[in-house]
Amino acid sequence: MEGSEELESSLLTQPWASVRFGESSFLAKVCFRDTGYILLISDLSSVWYESADAEAVGQRSKELNKRLTVHVSSFLNHLCSLMCPLLAGQPGATTAFSCHRSPGSLRLHVKSELSGLPFYWDFHCCLAPLDMVSRHLVRPLIQMNLVLQCQVQELISLLLQKDAEIEDYRESGATLSRDRLRTEPFREETFQQNFVAEGCVWDTCRAAAVSPSCAQGSQLIPKQPLSPALCYNGSVQHNDDLRQPPSHAQVPVSGQTLPRICSAGEGQAFASALQQLYTAVTQQELKQARKRHCSEDDVETAPSAETTKHPHSPAASQEDETPSSSERTSPASSPAQKPRLPAAKAKPKKAKGLFS
């Protein structure tokens, strides 16, 4: 159980990557260790996972690859080397992936080569429990949204400060050397209203089955490949080689931002910056979980320490009371006590006078 919990904790900090099997698109993340692996995959309608330890990997490898006799760690290393290019969007030429869905399960089939012999592997994924879905998808996305909202507010504050600085320069008589650099003062409320209104125009065009060009001649920027990460033995491997969109797709932000984001693969594409934010958010979540676990352990340890001390205190009090009672019953029986001598009577003194 400790090994599986450690694997899931390592998986939590890995960002999601977009993968395709045939015509189906998925989000996936995986973590390999010498003790096993854990895979999480979703099509945004369902979430499946598989967690396998070294014993299960060894048993399945014997069933699927009877001609191969290698150590379990070699199988895990080979699986890691096959999954890394897949999550990077560049699967190996000699590797084939296919998936088969059934009610409540998903099987991912891998066909490759190992040491010149055919290599087969099947990931047997079942539906992920709700707490796992919440931990890896819902809570991180909510926290990412809050972080981005804070970032937006800070940027708005900086814009307002810049506008105040520019206005001060203008009042001091400063002029622009190039008139094309002139900008209008930033209005937060107008910006927010226009941003949402542009999205409504886009949705109306889609619902009417009209070309996207009706929305101010907009053109969608092609979906960029992701910068996925795969974890093996605690190390994260990134692929940051992102292709740039063609020059004709470089459109102004105004009137394009919200429609472009909402239509990019139905949310299955994570930009590189968002992957980094996802990793930062999940790492913070993991730190807080560890702190809560440590505080709970301290609370449980404190009462147990007090209960171990209490049983000895009554015994000590009984020992203290025992000698006092014995002294009251037989005070002269103790050898350490000396016999008391009778006190001598004082002789009366004669009064001394003048004639004595």
Side-chain angles (χ1 to χ4, degrees), residues 2 5 288-305:
E2 294 182 358
E5 292 178 358
Q288 293 178 356
R290 288 174 178 171
K291 287 182 180 180
R292 289 193 298 267
H293 183 70
C294 293
S295 61
E296 290 175 359
D297 290 344
D298 294 341
V299 171
E300 293 177 357
T301 305
S304 61

Side-chain angles (χ1 to χ4, degrees), residues 177-195:
S177 60
R178 287 167 289 184
D179 192 64
R180 62 183 176 83
L181 297 178
R182 187 180 303 276
T183 59
E184 295 295 328
F186 177 75
R187 308 295 182 201
E188 178 182 357
E189 185 176 356
T190 304
F191 173 78
Q192 297 288 359
Q193 290 176 354
N194 292 340
F195 193 89

Side-chain angles (χ1 to χ4, degrees), residues 13-20 26-30 82-91 224-232 235-243 268-276 278-279:
T13 57
Q14 307 310 312
W16 292 89
S18 181
V19 296
R20 291 186 65 87
F26 296 88
L27 288 174
K29 53 165 40 180
V30 65
L82 296 178
M83 294 297 294
C84 182
L86 173 68
L87 296 180
Q90 301 172 351
Q224 298 179 354
L226 303 177
S227 171
L230 178 141
C231 175
Y232 184 81
S235 63
V236 180
Q237 305 170 11
H238 292 275
N239 177 26
D240 296 325
D241 186 16
L242 298 180
R243 294 175 298 179
Q268 291 179 340
F270 272 84
S272 177
L274 288 182
Q275 286 185 329
Q276 296 175 3
Y278 178 91
T279 302

Side-chain angles (χ1 to χ4, degrees), residues 5-72:
E5 292 178 358
E6 182 182 357
L7 270 173
E8 187 177 349
S9 297
S10 300
L11 180 69
L12 177 63
T13 57
Q14 307 310 312
W16 292 89
S18 181
V19 296
R20 291 186 65 87
F21 304 118
E23 298 298 325
S24 303
S25 298
F26 296 88
L27 288 174
K29 53 165 40 180
V30 65
C31 181
F32 287 91
R33 293 288 179 90
D34 291 334
T35 56
Y37 67 82
I38 182 170
L39 169 68
L40 197 59
I41 185 169
S42 172
D43 62 353
L44 298 185
S45 296
S46 302
V47 182
W48 301 271
Y49 87 106
E50 184 192 22
S51 179
D53 57 12
E55 183 179 356
V57 171
Q59 182 64 30
R60 191 178 303 174
S61 62
K62 292 178 181 178
E63 298 173 357
L64 298 175
N65 305 278
K66 297 181 180 179
R67 298 174 60 185
L68 290 174
T69 55
V70 296
H71 195 265
V72 174

Side-chain angles (χ1 to χ4, degrees), residues 97-154:
F97 294 89
S98 61
C99 70
H100 304 280
R101 305 188 208 190
S102 59
S105 65
L106 180 141
R107 177 172 295 187
L108 177 60
H109 181 69
V110 184
K111 181 180 179 181
S112 182
E113 293 182 359
L114 178 61
S115 301
L117 296 175
F119 174 82
Y120 304 98
W121 189 257
D122 287 336
F123 292 95
H124 299 170
C125 302
C126 60
L127 287 174
L130 291 178
D131 59 342
M132 180 179 285
V133 176
S134 176
R135 190 182 186 194
H136 289 268
L137 267 177
V138 180
R139 289 208 303 264
L141 292 179
I142 292 176
Q143 292 170 352
M144 289 170 63
N145 180 51
L146 295 176
V147 171
L148 292 175
Q149 288 293 329
C150 293
Q151 188 181 48
V152 168
Q153 292 301 321
E154 291 183 3

